Amino acid sequence: MSRSFFLGTAIPYLNGVPHLGHALEWIYADVITRYQRQQGRQVRFSMGSDDHGQKVIRAAAASQRSPQQQTDVVLEVFQGLAQQLEVDYDTWTRTSSPAHHIAAQALWQRLAAAGALELRKYDGLYCIGCEAFKTEKDLTSDGLCPDHQVPPEPRSEQNYFFKLSSYQDQLLAYYEQHPQLVTPHEKYAEMKQFVAAGLEDVSFSRVKDETGWGVLVPDAPDQVMYVWCDALVNYLTAAGFPDNLESDGYWPADVIVVGKDINRFHSVLFTAMLLAADLPVPTQFAVHGHIMVNGQKMSKSLGNVIDPAQLIDRYGVEATRYLLLREVPFRSDGDVSLEQFDARYTADLCNGLGNLLSRTTNMIEKYAQGKINIKDQAVVGNADLRSLQDPYTEAISDYKFHLALEVIWQLIAQANQTIDDHKPWELAKTDTAAAVLILEGVGRDLLLIAHWLTPFMPQTAEIIIQALHAKPILKTQPLFPRLT
Ligand code: MSP
């Protein structure tokens, strides 16, 4: 039996439509899971939506909908985008679903039984953008939330608290024993520092408002759970908690993919919740950077979003995946622009990969009557292959997708170079067999390129494989139309 592999992505709030940042996170996650499936792992790829919280309640009120209607409408847009981007998830957890309510309440009860929760009066400042209480040291010198550039609102309530501060030592010890828990390294270092500086307890419930939207706190029906307390449980819900967690065999998660703005909620808060509840902690939190526009995070709250549909219209889905993965390295914040995407599209896709496939199939049709001998998985007659295999595997395993693509494009460049050097069109005039041999070698290169490309551009890879397995092989349509 193949080993199982569980990946979860952060679940977006459904207060507005998705933007490129969401698309990017899903594409990263999709590459990881497609790669794992290719390696023979039994994958559960979990996505979902954060239906609760004040952002959603406010957005619903602003569009004169109930929170249920609001999330129903927006959910379709999010799921439609995921499908369009070929993000091949297995489960979608809506936090408003009955199964999730059961899971969140079951976790709550475990926390309560462990003595990790306490009822207290609370006065504090709340940022709705972050869905988080803030202390003075979290704010700018003008008293604004640095991410949302608005002042947090004063709140005074009777809430349940999660006693996060009492888990400081346990967290630090856990970090010590699990050096791979958070990647990349510097994002882990930030968390260790944050925990070492001392933790504050977290308000974990709030008084239910007139919409009643949220997960009810067991034994305190006037309260709903704090949105993060409920949302973080989505990964457990997807893994079968509470009843089937063990029998499903997907927990602990292998990797949870999140943006750097919510690293703390996962690496610190969620980890502490799981330790307190005596449940296994995910093997890894993989923390990615942000897509930036003019040096600022692309975000709905800041109103500077690029609509993914705009890119899909211009480049097509597969090229959009490529451009995002190539231009925004997982670990860093990438400023994106259409000029940069256009240049990359033309150079790498039209002139690089697209040209390689069309001229190769064209010459196979012309000089070999469409019949050549390419065996699947055949070793490429290419001396440099061995030097490319390890860098490819290392890069993709370490979430350095831009580098894995760079390796594939080195192979594409080599294959194009082989054609330029040997000029099969000239060779065919005097020695057809020699020309065919060159084309067979390039055909095999193309099969390897397709194999390596599968997690990134699944349809393109499939088109290449089909084209080379066709009998007879015929000149293909351009893979990537030129931009107009
Ligand atoms: N609902 C919470 C997550 C709960 S997970 C238990 C949330 N939602 S969000 O819609 O604001 O963000 C969802 C994911 O998208 C997060 O991982 C976030 O980091 C990511 N991104 C949001 N803006 C982004 C960019 N500009 N660039 C890349 N990813 C971005 O937080």
Side-chain angles (χ1 to χ4, degrees):
M1 267 215 359
S2 64
R3 281 190 308 134
S4 66
F5 182 89
F6 183 101
L7 176 146
T9 59
I11 52 171
Y13 298 118
L14 296 187
N15 59 327
V17 291
H19 62 68
L20 215 48
H22 299 120
L24 179 66
E25 179 171 292
W26 295 347
I27 294 169
Y28 286 146
D30 188 60
V31 172
I32 299 170
T33 47
R34 283 182 190 269
Y35 179 66
Q36 292 297 337
R37 286 193 205 106
Q38 222 182 15
Q39 305 306 304
R41 304 282 289 271
Q42 177 72 40
V43 172
R44 185 176 290 176
F45 175 3
S46 154
M47 290 182 41
S49 50
D50 200 346
D51 294 5
H52 298 132
Q54 316 229 333
K55 274 193 211 225
V56 173
I57 294 175
R58 289 220 171 158
S63 42
Q64 283 160 352
R65 296 182 183 129
S66 68
Q68 182 70 57
Q69 289 164 334
Q70 162 75 15
T71 53
D72 287 350
V73 170
V74 178
L75 177 70
E76 278 197 32
V77 185
F78 272 85
Q79 288 186 329
L81 178 67
Q83 203 171 21
Q84 202 180 6
L85 288 169
E86 305 171 289
V87 173
D88 194 11
Y89 60 88
D90 299 298
T91 63
W92 185 286
T93 302
R94 279 188 81 166
T95 55
S96 56
S97 68
H100 179 74
H101 280 227
I102 289 169
Q105 288 171 336
L107 188 79
W108 182 282
Q109 265 150 346
R110 284 178 84 120
L111 293 176
L117 301 175
E118 198 171 86
L119 194 59
R120 289 183 206 157
K121 174 91 166 40
Y122 189 69
D123 293 299
L125 296 168
Y126 194 81
C127 172
I128 292 185
C130 297
E131 293 281 14
F133 278 101
K134 298 278 164 178
T135 57
E136 298 295 338
K137 70 175 182 329
D138 295 325
L139 306 176
T140 65
S141 53
D142 310 332
L144 305 180
C145 164
D147 282 344
H148 297 96
Q149 296 295 321
V150 289
E153 300 175 8
R155 290 281 163 85
S156 174
E157 284 186 4
Q158 177 97 329
N159 297 155
Y160 279 95
F161 272 73
F162 174 58
K163 297 195 276 184
L164 180 62
S165 61
S166 27
Y167 291 92
Q168 181 185 19
D169 292 345
Q170 221 180 316
L171 274 172
L172 290 173
Y174 192 86
Y175 294 162
E176 194 64 39
Q177 291 153 9
H178 298 84
Q180 307 300 329
L181 179 67
V182 184
T183 186
H185 250 17
E186 61 275 15
K187 292 285 177 257
Y188 203 0
E190 274 174 31
M191 293 301 113
K192 288 177 186 165
Q193 245 180 357
F194 175 75
V195 174
L199 295 168
E200 291 185 24
D201 295 342
V202 183
S203 163
F204 245 30
S205 72
R206 41 185 321 107
V207 174
K208 190 171 70 174
D209 71 5
E210 64 287 353
T211 66
W213 192 240
V215 181
L216 294 182
V217 170
D219 307 322
D222 65 318
Q223 302 254 329
V224 290
M225 288 181 200
Y226 167 49
V227 65
W228 275 100
C229 160
D230 126 43
L232 287 164
V233 180
N234 87 85
Y235 311 114
L236 286 166
T237 310
F241 185 75
D243 293 337
N244 302 317
L245 193 66
E246 278 176 30
S247 56
D248 280 15
Y250 283 106
W251 198 263
D254 292 86
V255 56
I256 306 286
V257 177
V258 301
K260 63 176 189 178
D261 55 324
I262 59 171
N263 181 12
R264 202 189 283 182
F265 288 102
H266 287 80
S267 309
V268 181
L269 181 58
F270 189 41
T271 302
M273 286 164 69
L274 292 167
L275 291 176
D278 197 20
L279 287 167
V281 173
T283 306
Q284 188 159 73
F285 297 110
V287 181
H288 62 78
H290 284 150
I291 290 202
M292 312 288 280
V293 180
N294 298 326
Q296 269 200 317
K297 178 190 170 197
M298 188 186 298
S299 110
K300 282 177 285 200
S301 311
L302 293 175
N304 61 355
V305 301
I306 295 182
D307 184 352
Q310 199 184 334
L311 296 189
I312 296 173
D313 281 351
R314 184 161 179 80
Y315 307 112
V317 170
E318 293 261 309
T320 296
R321 287 173 65 111
Y322 174 75
L323 296 171
L324 287 171
L325 289 162
R326 186 71 197 247
E327 292 291 340
V328 194
F330 189 87
R331 286 155 192 247
S332 51
D333 296 335
D335 233 77
V336 294
S337 73
L338 283 182
E339 292 76 32
Q340 160 201 340
F341 284 153
D342 276 4
R344 198 40 103 193
Y345 177 89
T346 300
D348 292 6
L349 297 177
C350 301
N351 299 344
L353 179 58
N355 187 37
L356 177 64
L357 181 70
S358 72
R359 66 177 175 157
T360 304
T361 51
N362 180 31
M363 289 189 285
I364 293 173
E365 180 182 339
K366 225 160 150 179
Y367 306 126
Q369 290 72 51
K371 284 182 245 147
I372 56 163
N373 174 25
I374 318 175
K375 282 184 252 132
D376 265 7
Q377 310 289 328
V379 182
V380 185
N382 186 328
D384 268 358
L385 177 61
R386 263 200 314 197
S387 68
L388 295 178
Q389 174 75 62
D390 287 350
Y392 171 80
T393 308
E394 269 162 38
I396 195 168
S397 311
D398 204 16
Y399 317 127
K400 291 176 179 154
F401 307 120
H402 66 300
L403 292 184
L405 289 168
E406 204 176 292
V407 173
I408 301 175
W409 258 260
Q410 282 176 29
L411 190 55
I412 292 170
Q414 283 179 17
N416 267 324
Q417 193 63 49
T418 305
I419 297 178
D420 292 345
D421 290 348
H422 292 276
K423 302 188 176 49
W425 56 94
E426 303 236 320
L427 208 52
K429 291 181 196 154
T430 54
D431 186 350
T432 316
V436 170
L437 210 61
I438 300 294
L439 294 171
E440 285 178 347
V442 175
R444 286 200 281 267
D445 282 342
L446 267 165
L447 283 182
L448 180 70
I449 289 164
H451 183 69
W452 281 1
L453 212 50
T454 295
F456 300 94
M457 304 172 83
Q459 270 185 45
T460 304
E462 191 52 34
I463 291 172
I464 296 172
I465 292 167
Q466 296 294 335
L468 290 166
H469 283 158
K471 289 191 175 34
I473 294 170
L474 300 174
K475 179 179 169 38
T476 53
Q477 298 295 314
L479 277 176
F480 305 100
R482 301 229 162 243
L483 296 173
T484 47

